[in-house]
């Protein structure tokens, strides 16, 4: 495993990529409304990314056909946008997006409530977001990767939720996916020791029901096995000498 330590120049480029991605997410969140198709969201997202001088990280990545992963309700991640999937009042919609700025990636995801959603759905979204922040309390030089993973799992499971095992976070930089893998659940080993200059995409994927997931026939869309709702929250972070820096907020 080769984990890259970023130079000051690389960190500055990733910081810029993260700022741009944060603004794209903000615009997409405001634009989401009942009656729009998931393809409408993707087209808007691609336009926003390119208008800021970036390239969408996901477009054609391993054959993925879109710029924004749009996953609705029981879809965990990697939902493929289509004109036939119409967003309804009461849906929860996870938007996962990445940008490339001068050769460096940033990756982030948000789950949004569309209109009035159930209290259960709102709580799932909130806890998923909070589990990210519980995890990064341990994203400090000298700690181990598993400290982050264990904190995310402990927090999410304390609400009775299922932490997805089949998908994990990752290192990020010149490549969208770099070493190390960053699980949202505890490992039997400590994992690597964290050092300043590491950049990680930490992304809890939390199900209201069991952790089990299945892949749909399109080979991309991942859904909960039991049909329960799922939420996703992700940021690109930098390990520093002190507190972690969230690059995509």
């Amino acid at each position: 495993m080769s984990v890259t330590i970023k130079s000051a120049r690389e960190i500055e480029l990733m910081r810029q990529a993260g700022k741009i991605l944060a603004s794209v997410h903000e615009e997409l969140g405001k634009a989401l409304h009942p009656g729009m198709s998931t393809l409408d969201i993707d087209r808007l997202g691609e336009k926003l990314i390119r208008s800021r001088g970036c390239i969408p990280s996901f477009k054609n990545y391993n054959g993925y056909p879109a710029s924004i992963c749009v996953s609705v309700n029981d879809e965990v991640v990697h939902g493929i946008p289509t004109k036939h999937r119409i967003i309804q009042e009461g849906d929860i919609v996870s938007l996962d997006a990445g940008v490339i700025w001068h050769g460096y990636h940033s990756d982030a995801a948000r789950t949004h409530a569309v209109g009035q959603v159930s209290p259960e759905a709102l709580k799932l979204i909130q806890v998923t977001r909070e589990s990210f922040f519980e995890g990064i309390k341990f994203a400090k030089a000298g700690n181990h990767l598993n400290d982050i993973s264990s904190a995310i799992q402990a927090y999410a499971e304390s609400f009775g939720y299922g932490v997805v095992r089949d998908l994990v976070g990752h290192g990020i930089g010149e490549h969208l996916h770099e070493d190390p893998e960053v699980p949202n659940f505890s490992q039997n080993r400590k994992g690597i020791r964290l050092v300043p200059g590491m950049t990680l995409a930490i992304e809890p994927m939390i199900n209201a029901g069991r952790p089990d997931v299945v892949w749909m026939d399109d080979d991309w869309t991942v859904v909960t096995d039991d049909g329960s709702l799922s939420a996703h929250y992700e940021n690109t972070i930098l390990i520093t000498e002190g507190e972690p820096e969230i690059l995509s907020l």
Side-chain angles (χ1 to χ4, degrees):
M1 181 164 67
S2 63
V3 178
T4 60
I5 306 302
K6 308 303 188 291
S7 67
R9 178 188 150 270
E10 290 176 308
I11 289 167
E12 199 39 59
L13 290 172
M14 290 188 70
R15 205 174 264 137
Q16 197 54 40
K19 272 187 190 147
I20 291 166
L21 182 53
S23 73
V24 168
H25 266 299
E26 205 167 308
E27 297 277 326
L28 286 175
K30 285 181 193 157
L32 256 184
H33 63 269
M36 76 192 303
S37 73
T38 55
L39 185 62
D40 294 333
I41 300 168
D42 176 58
R43 285 189 174 146
L44 173 61
E46 181 168 357
K47 192 173 136 197
L48 291 168
I49 290 167
R50 294 194 188 278
S51 72
R52 288 159 167 77
C54 287
I55 298 165
S57 297
F58 298 173
K59 187 100 182 203
N60 302 320
Y61 182 80
N62 291 343
Y64 185 77
S67 299
I68 313 290
C69 296
V70 188
S71 308
V72 184
N73 295 332
D74 66 333
E75 295 171 352
V76 182
V77 282
H78 304 160
I80 296 178
T82 154
K83 64 179 192 225
H84 305 296
R85 185 70 189 268
I86 306 300
I87 303 294
Q88 314 282 341
E89 172 90 16
D91 283 344
I92 69 170
V93 180
S94 298
L95 303 179
D96 190 358
V99 304
I100 310 170
W101 171 257
H102 295 285
Y104 284 82
H105 292 262
S106 190
D107 188 3
R110 309 279 184 262
T111 300
H112 300 276
V114 181
Q116 290 292 315
V117 306
S118 69
E120 294 78 23
L122 268 184
K123 186 172 177 196
L124 175 67
I125 293 171
Q126 183 186 345
V127 169
T128 301
R129 183 178 183 277
E130 287 165 358
S131 70
F132 165 87
F133 287 99
E134 289 299 313
I136 69 162
K137 286 179 182 173
F138 297 91
K140 294 179 182 169
N143 283 349
H144 289 83
L145 198 57
N146 197 49
D147 299 329
I148 300 173
S149 304
S150 300
I152 292 171
Q153 177 182 14
Y155 188 75
E157 287 185 351
S158 73
F159 292 87
Y161 294 146
V163 179
V164 173
R165 299 295 198 279
D166 296 50
L167 301 139
V168 295
H170 49 93
I172 184 170
E174 275 191 282
H175 303 278
L176 178 59
H177 293 108
E178 298 183 354
D179 288 336
E181 289 194 338
V182 186
N184 300 303
F185 48 91
S186 190
Q187 306 290 289
N188 293 329
R189 54 188 185 279
K190 285 182 172 179
I192 58 165
R193 187 184 287 276
L194 303 173
V195 300
M198 285 180 179
T199 43
L200 305 171
I202 297 176
E203 49 176 325
M205 289 158 271
I206 310 296
N207 299 343
R210 293 197 313 272
D212 314 338
V213 298
V214 288
W215 267 255
M216 303 300 280
D217 290 341
D218 62 21
D219 289 334
W220 280 105
T221 311
V222 180
V223 299
T224 57
D225 188 37
D226 59 8
S228 64
L229 293 176
S230 187
H232 185 197
Y233 186 84
E234 174 185 23
N235 282 302
T236 299
I237 72 154
L238 167 70
I239 305 296
T240 71
E241 297 287 356
E243 296 296 319
E245 183 183 342
I246 304 175
L247 301 178
S248 53
L249 261 191

